[in-house]
Amino acid sequence: MKVVLISTYEMGRQPFGLASPAAWLRESGADVTCVDVSRQPLPDAAVRDAGLIAFYVPMHTATRLAIALLPAVREMNPRACVCFYGLYAPMNESYLRRVGVDFILGGEFEESLAAIVKALVSRNGASFSSGAKAPNQLMPSFLSELKLRPPKNPTPEVPPSISLARQKFRIPDRSGLAPLASYARLLMPDGESRTVGYTEASRGCRHLCRHCPIVPVYNGVFRIIDRDVVLEDIRRQVAAGAQHITFGDPDFFNGIGHAIPLVEALHREFPRLTYDVTIKVEHLLKHQDGLPILRDTGCLFVTSAVESVDDAVLEKLAKNHTRADFLRVIELFREIGLTLAPTFVAFTPWTTLEAYRDLLETIRRADLIENVPPIQFAIRLLIPAGSRLLELSDIREIVEPFDEEKLVYPWRHANPRVDALCERLQQVVHSGEKMKLPRARIFDHIEEAAYEAAGRAHTDLERYHTMPILASRATIPYLNEPWYC
């Protein structure tokens, strides 16, 4: 059977979410084509011949892009079954069903994808190559069964929409994907640019942050990927030219007993290879003894979803850390010699103009301007289907009906000047990055806009209005593709 796996966007990373299921499907005998349309053209012939076309949707942007691409794919091959898999698939199940998606998979999706292919081949007795009858012509009862939520005890032929099964992972098969050199690169302070690989050592998360899209799917569960599988995946990427690895785990220290031995083994085998990880503030403090090990095994920076420096907002988001915790983490990283890369949800229904300026002042006082991608100062809270934010009465009072086109519950801030500032800052960041301005210069413009929005003068404006415009250059290690959700 011919299968096409499609990724539309994954933050400038070669998609693990294609390579991992490709290994499972090829092992079962399927003819698999992987395509990342952010880097590759859609292969017309492969799409036309496919019996199953599966879109990987790990985030909001990826899902909207996949839905936009769906009509063109359907026109090219109206006979194929269509699957959406990844975090945002079950969260948007009702809408995806209405636009004609046959299979919805979330959580641990590889085994379920393989089960779908096996069931389709078994029921049809054909490979669905070019000229074969369409699956939905031959098996209407089977497909109508699969369009409904499965029973409590699903059979292998009817995989659950969300599976949290413990899988025996295969080594990802990256055949056919765009080369690593075409993806985001690591920029170093000395001007060096490194080729970046990407892998995952675990999925899901132990925590229940209200705004996080992982929670509606995993609900506090996390699953590890066998160390041998992760190491072999990295070996193959190093052979393909990777000089740095991004670990995409939602929280690398969810299973610190798995993470630390993994990076120690990695460093023994590849002592010059560097990497980066994502760890929440709570775990950076709880497992601070592990931070020197990260440093000594090649970790260049740690991304942490700080989200806010306002304790009231942090409580609303159920982040389980405080402003003081964040400031302590900054001190720890400086003592240890690690680079911290904080991320933020700068605009929420509880953000005030004063609180926003406090965020900027906190970043400046902590000397973290270079550590934060400018887009992080313009991120607005998304409220997707299934979000735990809807548990809050003050959120339920302000959200508008679900917008299926945008896949969010729209909301407006009580102070229109806050929304206007967010829109302006998105333009400021876009313009600054297009001009390749240094992060510090873009930050200056962000500060100027924030003070103007509050009707106040910034005492330091003259300082940077008279500075020459310099080309952007890394002062700390960072990836050159901005982060979006």
Side-chain angles (χ1 to χ4, degrees):
M1 179 176 175
K2 294 187 177 182
V3 179
V4 176
L5 303 179
I6 299 175
S7 172
T8 56
Y9 172 72
E10 201 177 355
M11 301 190 295
R13 309 183 295 207
Q14 193 186 66
F16 182 92
L18 297 192
S20 180
W24 288 67
L25 297 178
R26 286 170 178 149
E27 182 182 277
S28 69
D31 181 354
V32 182
T33 298
C34 293
V35 56
D36 178 355
V37 295
S38 74
R39 296 296 191 275
Q40 301 166 291
L42 194 65
D44 293 3
V47 171
R48 284 195 300 269
D49 290 347
L52 176 67
I53 300 170
F55 291 86
Y56 177 48
V57 289
M59 60 193 71
H60 181 261
T61 299
T63 310
R64 292 188 64 187
L65 291 172
I67 291 170
L69 184 60
L70 183 58
V73 168
R74 278 293 195 195
E75 185 175 352
M76 293 167 65
N77 186 347
R79 301 168 305 157
C81 292
V82 173
C83 175
F84 272 50
Y85 68 99
L87 283 177
Y88 271 78
M91 292 167 63
N92 295 286
E93 180 170 7
S94 60
Y95 177 62
L96 293 176
R97 298 289 189 200
R98 286 201 298 279
V99 297
V101 176
D102 301 301
F103 304 102
I104 308 290
L105 300 176
E108 306 303 281
F109 47 74
E110 288 89 347
E111 190 171 22
S112 296
L113 270 173
I116 287 173
V117 171
K118 180 179 178 181
L120 288 174
V121 172
S122 175
R123 291 296 181 100
N124 186 46
S127 64
F128 301 129
S129 59
S130 181
K133 289 184 179 181
N136 53 1
Q137 291 174 325
L138 291 169
M139 302 180 296
S141 62
F142 174 56
L143 288 179
S144 70
E145 210 175 37
L146 286 170
K147 286 180 181 177
L148 300 175
R149 277 198 173 275
K152 289 182 179 179
N153 299 305
T155 69
E157 291 185 345
V158 187
S161 293
I162 296 176
S163 171
L164 301 181
R166 296 182 186 275
Q167 300 182 143
K168 183 67 176 177
F169 281 87
R170 276 58 167 176
I171 298 163
D173 186 342
R174 300 173 182 273
S175 305
L177 285 170
L180 294 178
S182 66
Y183 287 90
R185 299 187 66 79
L186 178 77
L187 304 183
M188 298 292 289
D190 62 4
E192 180 189 1
S193 172
R194 297 183 187 175
T195 301
V196 179
Y198 173 85
T199 194
E200 296 175 5
S202 66
R203 285 196 186 140
C205 187
R206 294 184 184 275
H207 301 274
L208 301 174
C209 304
R210 281 200 179 95
H211 62 305
C212 180
I214 298 169
V215 174
V217 175
Y218 281 90
N219 195 32
V221 172
F222 96 108
R223 294 284 181 253
I224 65 168
I225 299 172
D226 291 345
R227 186 194 314 170
D228 290 345
V229 171
V230 180
L231 289 172
E232 181 59 27
D233 184 32
I234 294 173
R235 286 187 196 104
R236 296 182 182 187
Q237 292 185 74
V238 170
Q243 301 161 297
H244 177 91
I245 296 293
T246 290
F247 285 96
D249 309 44
D251 190 325
F252 198 62
F253 276 1
N254 262 320
I256 191 167
H258 171 57
I260 293 298
L262 171 61
V263 295
E264 289 176 330
L266 179 63
H267 185 64
R268 284 193 297 270
E269 187 169 352
F270 300 105
R272 300 186 65 181
L273 186 71
T274 58
Y275 66 91
D276 68 271
V277 297
T278 297
I279 305 173
K280 75 194 311 281
V281 169
E282 177 185 357
H283 281 166
L284 292 173
L285 293 174
K286 181 179 180 181
H287 302 300
Q288 58 186 271
D289 290 348
L291 299 182
I293 299 174
L294 296 184
R295 177 200 61 204
D296 295 342
T297 54
C299 183
L300 290 184
F301 63 92
V302 176
T303 300
S304 190
V306 178
E307 314 300 37
S308 177
V309 295
D310 184 327
D311 284 341
V313 174
L314 291 169
E315 185 175 354
K316 293 283 189 182
L317 300 180
K319 285 298 297 180
N320 207 27
H321 73 254
T322 64
R323 175 194 184 105
D325 292 334
F326 170 46
L327 297 178
R328 175 58 186 142
V329 165
I330 296 171
E331 294 176 1
L332 272 175
F333 270 64
R334 293 211 167 112
E335 292 168 5
I336 292 167
L338 264 177
T339 296
L340 180 68
T343 62
F344 297 96
V345 180
F347 289 89
T348 73
W350 312 286
T351 301
T352 64
L353 294 175
E354 181 179 357
Y356 185 77
R357 290 198 314 277
D358 179 55
L359 168 63
L360 300 182
E361 290 170 5
T362 300
I363 296 302
R364 184 177 285 282
R365 286 196 303 270
D367 195 22
L368 286 177
I369 293 172
E370 295 289 351
N371 299 54
V372 184
I375 189 59
Q376 291 298 318
F377 297 113
I379 295 290
R380 192 173 189 271
L381 181 69
L382 292 179
I383 306 178
S387 174
R388 282 195 64 216
L389 287 165
L390 297 169
E391 298 171 359
L392 301 175
S393 59
D394 47 354
I395 290 292
R396 293 195 301 272
E397 289 169 1
I398 66 168
V399 295
E400 300 171 13
F402 189 74
D403 186 328
E404 291 187 329
E405 180 181 349
K406 296 181 179 178
L407 302 181
V408 294
Y409 286 94
W411 60 271
R412 297 179 185 178
H413 198 281
N415 182 352
R417 289 190 297 166
V418 175
D419 285 338
L421 174 61
C422 182
E423 291 180 12
R424 181 179 174 187
L425 293 182
Q426 290 173 356
Q427 296 169 359
V428 165
V429 172
H430 176 73
S431 176
E433 290 178 343
K434 187 176 181 181
M435 294 173 63
K436 300 187 183 301
L437 295 181
R439 287 182 171 185
R441 190 64 181 272
I442 299 175
F443 186 86
D444 287 338
H445 289 298
I446 289 171
E447 277 189 322
E448 178 181 11
Y451 275 78
E452 284 183 0
R456 293 178 54 185
H458 194 307
T459 57
D460 291 332
L461 291 186
E462 289 297 324
R463 172 179 59 81
Y464 68 82
H465 276 311
T466 58
M467 291 171 59
I469 296 178
L470 302 174
S472 178
R473 179 169 178 174
T475 59
I476 60 166
Y478 68 85
L479 300 178
N480 67 348
E481 183 147 339
W483 184 94
Y484 294 90
C485 60

